[in-house]
Amino acid sequence: EEHEALFSHTLILSATHGHNSSVVERAVADAPSGSVRVRWHVPRVLTGGCVVACTDEGRAYFEARAATGELLAERSARVHASEPLSAQAGLLPTLLRGRQMLSAPPSWGLDRIDGSIDSEPYAPPVTGVGVHIFVLDTGVHETHIEFSGRVGEGRDIRQAAASTVQVDVQSHGTHCAATAAGATVGVAPGATIHGVKVLDDVFGDGWTGDIVAGMEWVIEQDALRPAVVSMSFSGPYSYSVNLAVERLHAAGIVSVAAAGNERADACTESPASAPTAITVGATDQDDGVLSSSNYGACVDVWAPGGLIYSALPCSSPPCTSPSDFQDGRYGIKSGTSMACPHVAGVVAQVLQLDPLATPTQVLERIQSAALRGILPSKADPNNYLLQVVTSHTAPPSPPALPPGPEPCPYEVEVSIVPDEWSWNEQYWEVTLEGITLFSGSHEGGAGCVDGGRTYTFTIYDSYGDGEVPRCSKLRQAARCPSTTSHTTAHRARAIYYAHKRLPRAISHAASAPPMRHATQASTVRGGRAHMR
């Protein structure tokens, strides 16, 4: 029997664009004997996807196959819980918010997002009833009084048999889950929580292979909709993780991701950089950007993340023995990990109001309800501070734009390169059925034409070799003779082709019918002309 230590590498395999799942199946089947073990099949989040453990020989084999371009073999990378400060445990601590002292619960974060800054109890009119929040984290302490019968089926991805029992020893997952949907410390106290354990019991670390497998399990739970995934962890940029987020989005599942705590650009990390994730930065009690928070264009919204009070599985995590676990312990944590579940809770509110809302519509409604422009410039460009959603109000429509110019399906540009003779002796025009559409001189010019018609491009020469001088410029097409060729040492050359212009306003221009041309060219003393 092979020794487990030999399988020291984990790869995430998927078919590249344009290839189907069979390329991965063949690659696994053709791998050297004893060099690979399939840990997870993840076909719904990655095309032909699977997570494999392999030996040195197996890794070299798959990376060689990946070099052919038909599949991707991404090494599983370490991720970590987005929490820079350790938990401070207790029962009912007193929290500092600016110069005010507020009793907890609730957390100052709930106070900040409910539309007022006071010590009134947090009592949202919309509680997230009927919405499923999947917390990909260290697990959830299901018997905590904050959840009281609102914990649905979960999964421990890190167990070989994918156990449905996922105990939270580390405490990070319980804290995040209660912030999202706890009875007294949660944003959406009516939502159902599902713990998906993908991070370890010591430091809250994990691997992208397990993250992808966790998202696969979520997308398989078709009956548990509407749904939002809360991901309070970060790691290096991962194509596989970002693609899995995209597949969740396509399935109608909202993904909320912590921006990370490296004081860096969130676009360098995953899942924060996933275009279809709602990425969350963290703020402090004074509406400043939390010092540890990542930032940048990938951050979609900001939420309270400093000194957040929420549930813990025991008084002094990690909870190393069964006797440590208690159902009524609370504590304080900080980081974008704590900001992320605030947003997940508001997503649950939106989905209760409109269960058929798409992930894109959910983000629009969150940003529409948010306070805009009150955070420091470090929060730009998406300077939105989270607020609860209390009514089914769609975001306002953008103001109507004034009508712009007519689109130009095909742009014709003309330039003339003369020889040593005078430039004033050259003139050209483009006509359709005898009517001049646009024309010009030696300086060239441009104009728009439609596809599917035949146009005439004519160069006139008034050098004195028999042409009627500039008659076409007078729009007297019926009186103008056709251009003629003359026996001379220098012949005109008309080089032309249609250049398809693709303005942003008309993306369908790519399917426009091709343009055809007929041309007549006269002597231009060795000059050259071209249309493009």
Side-chain angles (χ1 to χ4, degrees):
E1 182 178 353
E2 294 112 343
H3 196 280
E4 288 296 332
L6 295 176
F7 292 85
S8 57
H9 307 286
T10 301
L11 299 178
I12 307 171
L13 306 179
S14 61
T16 56
H17 181 71
H19 295 86
N20 59 36
S21 59
S22 63
V23 300
V24 179
E25 295 170 0
R26 289 197 304 269
V28 173
D30 295 342
S33 177
S35 67
V36 59
R37 291 179 177 176
V38 177
R39 293 189 58 210
W40 302 108
H41 289 283
V42 289
R44 295 186 66 171
V45 293
L46 299 175
T47 303
C50 62
V51 180
V52 298
C54 51
T55 63
D56 291 344
E57 181 185 22
R59 188 188 75 177
Y61 161 78
F62 283 117
E63 291 182 346
R65 288 292 292 259
T68 66
E70 63 181 10
L71 62 83
L72 176 73
E74 183 178 84
R75 299 184 187 185
S76 184
R78 184 175 290 276
V79 299
H80 51 273
S82 297
E83 177 202 356
L85 301 179
S86 60
Q88 302 173 23
L91 286 174
L92 292 175
T94 301
L95 301 182
L96 175 66
R97 188 195 182 284
R99 294 184 176 86
Q100 300 176 346
M101 299 296 287
L102 301 179
S103 295
S107 165
W108 73 266
L110 300 181
D111 186 45
R112 187 65 189 95
I113 69 172
D114 71 355
S116 63
I117 304 177
D118 52 41
S119 57
E120 293 298 318
Y122 175 76
V126 182
T127 63
V129 170
V131 180
H132 300 271
I133 302 178
F134 292 88
V135 181
L136 270 63
D137 214 291
T138 61
V140 174
H141 183 49
E142 299 179 348
T143 58
H144 198 287
I145 58 175
E146 286 291 324
F147 305 125
S148 60
R150 290 180 298 108
V151 177
E153 181 182 359
R155 184 59 57 98
D156 186 348
I157 298 298
R158 296 175 60 85
Q159 295 293 325
S163 171
T164 57
V165 178
Q166 36 84 45
V167 178
D168 184 18
V169 173
Q170 206 274 344
S171 79
H172 188 269
T174 298
H175 194 282
C176 291
T179 299
T184 63
V185 297
V187 176
T192 300
I193 288 291
H194 302 266
V196 185
K197 188 167 184 173
V198 294
L199 304 180
D200 69 24
D201 291 332
V202 182
F203 300 109
D205 289 345
W207 298 89
T208 52
D210 292 333
I211 301 303
V212 169
M215 286 191 269
E216 176 76 15
W217 184 80
V218 170
I219 206 172
E220 289 173 350
Q221 312 311 305
D222 297 305
L224 303 179
R225 303 288 186 268
V228 53
V229 176
S230 183
M231 298 181 285
S232 290
F233 53 81
S234 61
Y237 178 88
S238 167
Y239 170 84
S240 298
V241 169
N242 285 10
L243 181 57
V245 171
E246 182 179 326
R247 296 292 170 82
L248 290 176
H249 181 275
I253 302 170
V254 183
S255 298
V256 183
N261 298 300
E262 287 70 38
R263 302 179 178 88
D265 188 346
C267 294
T268 63
E269 302 197 0
S270 289
S273 61
T276 53
I278 299 178
T279 300
V280 188
T283 61
D284 61 23
Q285 302 98 313
D286 297 311
D287 290 342
V289 172
L290 194 68
S291 61
S292 61
S293 178
N294 286 352
Y295 50 83
C298 285
V299 177
D300 298 297
V301 66
W302 297 79
L307 300 177
I308 299 301
Y309 174 86
S310 190
L312 296 178
C314 64
S315 59
S316 300
C319 314
T320 56
S321 70
S323 61
D324 289 342
F325 289 94
Q326 301 175 40
D327 295 339
R329 304 300 293 189
Y330 296 84
I332 299 170
K333 291 177 181 284
S334 292
T336 56
S337 278
M338 286 64 250
C340 175
H342 281 85
V343 175
V346 174
V347 170
Q349 294 177 330
V350 174
L351 291 176
Q352 178 188 341
L353 293 167
D354 186 0
L356 299 181
T358 67
T360 299
Q361 291 170 334
V362 170
L363 175 59
E364 290 173 350
R365 291 173 187 175
I366 286 175
Q367 291 183 332
S368 177
L371 299 177
R372 185 168 186 177
I374 70 169
L375 301 176
S377 59
K378 187 178 180 180
D380 294 340
N382 296 316
N383 198 316
Y384 298 99
L385 179 60
L386 183 73
Q387 296 289 284
V388 296
V389 174
T390 59
S391 62
H392 188 178
T393 303
S397 301
L401 298 176
E406 290 295 322
C408 179
Y410 294 89
E411 182 180 54
V412 176
E413 297 179 359
V414 178
S415 61
I416 298 176
V417 182
D419 57 10
E420 68 275 11
W421 299 92
S422 171
W423 285 17
N424 292 327
E425 296 178 338
Q426 296 154 22
Y427 178 76
W428 58 270
E429 67 179 357
V430 175
T431 62
L432 175 65
E433 299 177 355
I435 304 299
T436 300
L437 301 180
F438 48 93
S439 58
S441 65
H442 65 276
E443 296 177 348
C448 287
V449 296
D450 295 323
R453 297 187 180 188
T454 300
Y455 298 85
T456 302
F457 170 47
T458 306
I459 300 176
Y460 294 93
D461 175 24
S462 59
Y463 178 68
D465 49 10
E467 285 300 321
V468 179
R470 298 184 183 273
C471 72
S472 63
K473 190 173 184 179
L474 303 177
R475 303 292 196 273
Q476 298 172 337
R479 293 168 50 194
C480 291
S482 300
T483 56
T484 58
S485 298
H486 301 276
T487 304
T488 177
H490 299 89
R491 292 277 184 163
R493 291 185 295 158
I495 307 169
Y496 63 93
Y497 59 91
H499 171 68
K500 185 178 294 181
R501 183 182 181 190
L502 297 175
R504 294 178 181 175
I506 49 167
S507 59
H508 63 274
S511 60
M515 184 172 67
R516 301 186 299 274
H517 290 280
T519 185
Q520 299 171 319
S522 68
T523 305
V524 194
R525 288 292 175 183
R528 300 189 304 277
H530 69 273
M531 299 176 65
R532 65 183 181 194

